[in-house]
């Protein structure tokens, strides 16, 4: 049952417990992060998993070998942050790792979406990571880690995916600057920029269209993205591009003038009838 914004407050409090917070942990890359971190980290660190659908969070939790708390919250709602704020204040955990991963996007022209969709995208992709980072930072210590999921879309403006690409560019820019701000505190900040992954991010029709288009060469596996990302974070990398195709896009976008790139992408999108 979906009861967004409600948390079971009867769970026992654990002062100064080390926790890892992962948003968007009910599926896709977020679930892959949880599973990969479960293999890498000591058992005394608890996982706090956030997403709207509790049943899906339970499925993630069933794969993990440690204490897990589920937070069935809608991160587009302000009251979700009030709940998280009071839990952090009551329990005073040490936030060892925060993964701001939840995100959404639909490949279409800006005018094809209604205002509600724009509100939801900006609330989830932009506002939520800022608010959660702000809430969690007082509980982080030297050696803590902060990871943002951006996208290869962050490297260039994308007609046909304009607001999504811009939201990820914002996260990339924010994460880079924050990394420098937090350097004296010894908190490592990283941003991962995956290629397309065939997760619930895409509808079944979009997945079919993607698999049948030239873009299939860029598809990445979320489990591989999670493992490569976490290994790169451990090596101290700030901007992580896990796929070869993404690395090419990043290089090309840094060489070719942005106005040319935007025109080329716009042309490709208009001429790709199966564009997802
Ligand atoms: N898939 C791709 O091609 C791709 C490529 C590059 C980057 N990314 C980024 O990777 C991240 C993870 O996406 P994914 O591919 O793993 O897609 P996904 O399987 O759809 O996962 C999205 C996660 O976010 C959660 N979520 C969605 N809306 C939410 C809300 N309002 N409040 C709280 N949680 C919410 C979803 O859970 P609930 O539905 O239970 O809330 C789910 O756990 C996103 O930031 C996405 O932008 C994806």
């Amino acid at each position: 049952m979906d009861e967004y914004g409600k948390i079971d407050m009867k769970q026992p409090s654990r002062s100064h417990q080390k926790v890892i917070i992962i948003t968007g942990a009910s599926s896709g890359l977020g679930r892959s992060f949880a599973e990969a971190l479960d293999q890498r980290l000591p058992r005394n660190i608890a996982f706090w998993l956030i997403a709207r659908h509790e049943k899906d969070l339970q499925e993630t939790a069933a794969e993990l070998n440690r204490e897990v708390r589920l937070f069935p919250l809608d991160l587009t709602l302000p009251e979700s942050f009030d709940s998280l704020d009071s839990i952090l204040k009551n329990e005073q955990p040490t936030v060892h790792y925060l993964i701001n991963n939840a995100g959404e996007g639909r490949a279409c022209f800006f005018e094809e979406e209604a205002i509600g969709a724009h509100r939801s995208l900006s609330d989830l992709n932009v506002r939520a990571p800022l608010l959660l980072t702000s809430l969690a930072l007082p509980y982080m210590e030297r050696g803590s880690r902060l990871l943002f999921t951006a996208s290869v879309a962050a490297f260039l403006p994308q007609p046909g995916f304009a607001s999504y690409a811009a939201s990820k560019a914002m996260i990339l820019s924010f994460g880079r600057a924050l990394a420098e701000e937090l350097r004296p505190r010894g908190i490592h900040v990283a941003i991962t920029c995956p290629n397309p992954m065939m997760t619930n991010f895409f509808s079944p029709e979009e997945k079919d269209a993607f698999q049948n288009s030239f873009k299939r060469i860029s598809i990445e596996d979320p489990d591989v993205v999670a493992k490569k990302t976490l290994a790169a974070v451990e090596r101290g990398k700030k901007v992580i591009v896990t796929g070869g195709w993404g690395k090419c896009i990043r290089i090309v976008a840094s060489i070719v003038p942005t106005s040319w790139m935007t025109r080329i992408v716009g042309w490709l999108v208009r001429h790709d009838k199966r564009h997802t």
Side-chain angles (χ1 to χ4, degrees), residues 24 26-27 29 52-53 74-75 101 150 164 168 196-197 199 201:
S26 63
S27 68
L29 184 58
R52 291 167 301 177
H53 297 97
D74 185 337
L75 293 176
N101 167 75
Y164 177 77
K168 294 302 185 182
M197 300 169 285
T199 61
F201 185 87

Side-chain angles (χ1 to χ4, degrees), residues 145-190:
R145 286 168 174 157
L146 192 44
L147 174 64
F148 295 92
T149 301
S151 164
V152 165
F155 296 127
L156 69 163
Q158 286 202 16
F161 216 5
S163 51
Y164 177 77
S167 74
K168 294 302 185 182
M170 180 274 171
I171 288 301
L172 179 60
S173 168
F174 171 65
R176 282 176 140 150
L178 192 65
E180 181 53 29
E181 285 189 22
L182 295 178
R183 201 159 51 84
R185 275 188 68 191
I187 297 172
H188 179 68
V189 182

Side-chain angles (χ1 to χ4, degrees), residues 32-54:
S32 299
F33 275 135
E35 289 174 0
L37 277 171
D38 191 48
Q39 306 285 322
R40 299 169 94 92
L41 291 176
R43 297 272 166 254
N44 62 338
I45 306 180
F47 281 8
W48 289 11
L49 306 182
I50 304 175
R52 291 167 301 177
H53 297 97
E54 190 164 15

Side-chain angles (χ1 to χ4, degrees), residues 7-252:
I7 294 171
D8 181 4
M9 299 295 286
K10 286 173 294 193
Q11 295 174 80
S13 67
R14 309 161 192 82
S15 276
H16 303 294
Q17 186 185 27
K18 271 196 173 186
V19 300
I20 289 180
I21 304 176
I22 306 175
T23 71
S26 63
S27 68
L29 184 58
R31 182 175 284 176
S32 299
F33 275 135
E35 289 174 0
L37 277 171
D38 191 48
Q39 306 285 322
R40 299 169 94 92
L41 291 176
R43 297 272 166 254
N44 62 338
I45 306 180
F47 281 8
W48 289 11
L49 306 182
I50 304 175
R52 291 167 301 177
H53 297 97
E54 190 164 15
K55 247 186 142 170
D56 297 334
L57 283 173
Q58 281 164 352
E59 279 179 26
T60 304
E63 300 299 316
L64 307 174
N65 256 318
R66 65 183 63 238
E67 184 188 334
V68 181
R69 286 179 72 185
L70 308 183
F71 296 84
L73 295 171
D74 185 337
L75 293 176
T76 66
L77 302 178
E79 52 267 36
S80 298
F81 297 92
D82 296 339
S83 302
L84 289 166
D85 190 23
S86 33
I87 288 167
L88 286 165
K89 281 189 177 127
N90 284 339
E91 303 200 8
Q92 300 286 317
T94 296
V95 177
H96 180 62
Y97 218 130
L98 166 62
I99 305 188
N100 279 297
N101 167 75
E104 64 175 41
R106 195 166 82 85
C108 63
F109 292 111
F110 185 77
E111 289 180 293
E112 290 169 7
E113 291 274 45
I115 192 160
H118 297 311
R119 188 184 298 122
S120 176
L121 182 142
S122 47
D123 283 349
L124 185 64
N125 293 14
V126 176
R127 198 179 62 149
L130 296 192
L131 297 189
L132 191 53
T133 300
S134 169
L135 288 182
L137 270 174
Y139 303 92
M140 297 183 110
E141 59 182 15
R142 185 163 289 278
S144 290
R145 286 168 174 157
L146 192 44
L147 174 64
F148 295 92
T149 301
S151 164
V152 165
F155 296 127
L156 69 163
Q158 286 202 16
F161 216 5
S163 51
Y164 177 77
S167 74
K168 294 302 185 182
M170 180 274 171
I171 288 301
L172 179 60
S173 168
F174 171 65
R176 282 176 140 150
L178 192 65
E180 181 53 29
E181 285 189 22
L182 295 178
R183 201 159 51 84
R185 275 188 68 191
I187 297 172
H188 179 68
V189 182
I191 310 101
T192 190
C193 301
N195 284 318
M197 300 169 285
M198 295 300 104
T199 61
N200 297 344
F201 185 87
F202 293 110
S203 67
E205 300 75 42
E206 286 173 325
K207 280 182 194 163
D208 278 350
F210 217 105
Q211 306 271 16
N212 292 324
S213 111
F214 71 93
K215 289 186 257 177
R216 66 182 171 277
I217 56 167
S218 65
I219 292 173
E220 281 191 280
D221 176 341
D223 286 340
V224 175
V225 171
K227 285 188 187 127
K228 283 188 177 175
T229 296
L230 295 174
V233 170
E234 274 166 29
R235 291 196 306 274
K237 278 208 89 160
K238 288 194 186 69
V239 180
I240 300 158
V241 186
T242 48
W245 186 248
K247 288 178 181 147
C248 289
I249 290 178
R250 187 183 182 190
I251 292 168
V252 172

